[in-house]
Amino acid sequence: GNRDAKRFGIAELIGAGLQVEAWDLSHFFLPATNGLGIETPSWVDLSVCSNIAHFRNLCRTLTSEDVVIFPGGVHPMQVLRGRKILRLLSTTPARLTSISTAQVPTPIYPGKIRSWSGTRFARAFLLLTDPWRWKTIPRRLISTMSAQTFAIQRRLRLGGSIRPLDHIWAGTMVSEKVPFLIGPSTTVTYIHTLDYDLVLALRATTDRKRESAPRPVFIDSMNALHPDNLVHGTQIVMSIETYSDLVCRALDEIEKRLGTEVVIAVHPRANLGVMEPWYGGRTLIYGQITELVAGATVVIVAEGSTAIGLAALFRRPLTLLASRRSDSYIQGMNRAYAQ
């Protein structure tokens, strides 16, 4: 879509005189995206692959002068699903590269925290005293089975027919890439993301904006309504109703203490009108997260977001909302951001 075209710098590549093609593999790699109605800019040379055979034919057109850049499919949990794609690309003479559009910290789970709340006894106690936590057991079992399946596939030399990447553009580290995709000849360039470009453009006006409209800003994550939940088949741990109740009660308390309304910076993937019912009549602003963070007196986040990097770059105070009812991954992310 338009957001990805901007994040991956397609216009800049074209402006530099390069011939750029975009191959859309979502129809067979992530078929759930078909119903999202994502609009692609008309100026992008787009090829939509309806099946693996179509993708194979596109691979046959690649030469040693071509560079393939793929942002997905190389995370440990994606390789099993995308192995056919990686194998076909490995048979081509093209240079294989990957790009990380954002970087998040490694989640910190209770077992990594040296306190009573992180002990096995504490986790067992919480499980027994909070029946809601029983709902998370099937998801945890599935995650464990997925990890075991991945380990077995590695033993079967999954990477034998997949050659290492020639180059990686990464935010701060390459730990999210599968180890066998990083070889002795793989080179790495550390880059900043689109968010940082937006920060550079705004820094000249940041002080003026903060003085003219000081206000607390909450970064919306869409929670259960995030389209990626549908795309990846994510099990919803917290309903949007529960999320709304927990967040709104926290924002009520913050507004009472600060004496001013919290403004909601809506997630860029949200369509107009989708999130209005869930924030208690507060002001929702679309498409201006960077500007809102730049002018904020405090930034509030309920679920770990790369937008936290904006708060750090603009040196804005950050408040993280925590709940034991959140998904364990979300809790781990918030602990990591709080370090």
Side-chain angles (χ1 to χ4, degrees):
N2 289 286
R3 182 168 174 248
D4 283 340
K6 183 180 294 185
R7 284 201 300 175
F8 300 135
I10 293 180
E12 285 74 14
L13 293 174
I14 295 175
L18 299 174
Q19 181 179 349
V20 181
E21 297 179 14
W23 295 358
D24 180 3
L25 313 184
S26 62
H27 286 261
F28 64 90
F29 184 65
L30 292 171
T33 60
N34 297 339
L36 297 181
I38 300 174
E39 296 183 3
T40 301
S42 59
W43 50 269
V44 174
D45 184 1
L46 177 68
S47 294
V48 178
C49 299
S50 56
N51 51 53
I52 195 71
H54 187 186
F55 177 69
R56 183 182 293 109
N57 290 334
L58 286 175
C59 287
R60 290 170 179 163
T61 67
L62 296 173
T63 70
S64 59
E65 297 298 316
D66 295 315
V67 176
V68 177
I69 305 174
F70 42 96
V74 294
H75 186 277
M77 297 306 293
Q78 296 176 327
V79 167
L80 289 179
R81 180 188 296 172
R83 61 190 181 278
K84 290 184 179 180
I85 296 171
L86 294 171
R87 284 170 176 164
L88 284 173
L89 287 172
S90 295
T91 64
T92 72
R95 283 164 284 186
L96 303 184
T97 68
S98 180
I99 184 170
S100 297
T101 57
Q103 193 66 59
V104 295
T106 302
I108 299 176
Y109 295 104
K112 298 182 180 180
I113 301 176
R114 295 188 176 182
S115 65
W116 181 87
S117 62
T119 64
R120 291 183 179 179
F121 174 79
R123 292 199 296 275
F125 177 79
L126 291 173
L127 179 62
L128 293 173
T129 57
D130 186 356
W132 177 87
R133 285 177 172 262
W134 287 87
K135 297 179 182 180
T136 67
I137 291 178
R139 178 181 52 79
R140 292 175 180 175
L141 289 175
I142 292 173
S143 298
T144 301
M145 292 173 63
S146 298
Q148 292 174 346
T149 301
F150 176 68
I152 293 173
Q153 289 288 347
R154 286 194 63 186
R155 294 191 188 99
L156 295 176
R157 299 182 182 276
L158 171 63
S161 56
I162 300 175
R163 60 185 171 96
L165 297 171
D166 295 295
H167 191 76
I168 297 174
W169 288 277
T172 56
M173 55 187 178
V174 293
S175 61
E176 291 192 351
K177 309 299 181 185
V178 176
F180 63 69
L181 289 176
I182 303 175
S185 60
T186 302
T187 54
V188 180
T189 300
Y190 293 101
I191 60 173
H192 59 71
T193 62
L194 172 64
D195 287 344
Y196 191 63
D197 285 328
L198 299 176
V199 168
L200 293 177
L202 277 175
R203 271 184 169 166
T205 59
T206 295
D207 291 337
R208 178 182 59 81
K209 286 190 175 184
R210 191 180 184 188
E211 291 175 2
S212 61
R215 53 188 171 183
V217 173
F218 176 79
I219 304 297
D220 166 54
S221 65
M222 297 187 71
N223 189 257
L225 301 183
H226 197 294
D228 281 355
N229 292 323
L230 173 64
V231 171
H232 298 290
T234 305
Q235 182 178 350
I236 305 300
V237 175
M238 180 187 292
S239 69
I240 187 63
E241 290 82 6
T242 300
Y243 168 84
S244 173
D245 178 62
L246 292 173
V247 169
C248 286
R249 281 194 285 133
L251 296 184
D252 286 342
E253 184 64 27
I254 292 173
E255 289 173 339
K256 186 185 302 181
R257 295 190 180 190
L258 297 180
T260 185
E261 181 191 16
V262 174
V263 175
I264 311 300
V266 185
H267 194 281
R269 296 283 295 279
N271 292 323
L272 187 65
V274 169
M275 300 308 300
E276 270 74 2
W278 309 112
Y279 284 109
R282 292 178 172 85
T283 301
L284 276 69
I285 300 179
Y286 291 75
Q288 296 184 42
I289 289 182
T290 307
E291 292 86 349
L292 289 171
V293 171
T297 49
V298 61
V299 176
I300 309 161
V301 179
E303 299 181 347
S305 167
T306 54
I308 288 177
L310 295 175
L313 288 167
F314 285 116
R315 300 184 181 278
R316 299 297 181 248
L318 179 67
T319 297
L320 289 167
L321 306 182
S323 171
R324 291 192 306 171
R325 302 197 63 180
S326 296
D327 179 273
S328 59
Y329 177 79
I330 295 298
Q331 293 184 52
M333 288 294 297
N334 284 347
R335 291 189 192 98
Y337 277 119
Q339 296 299 305

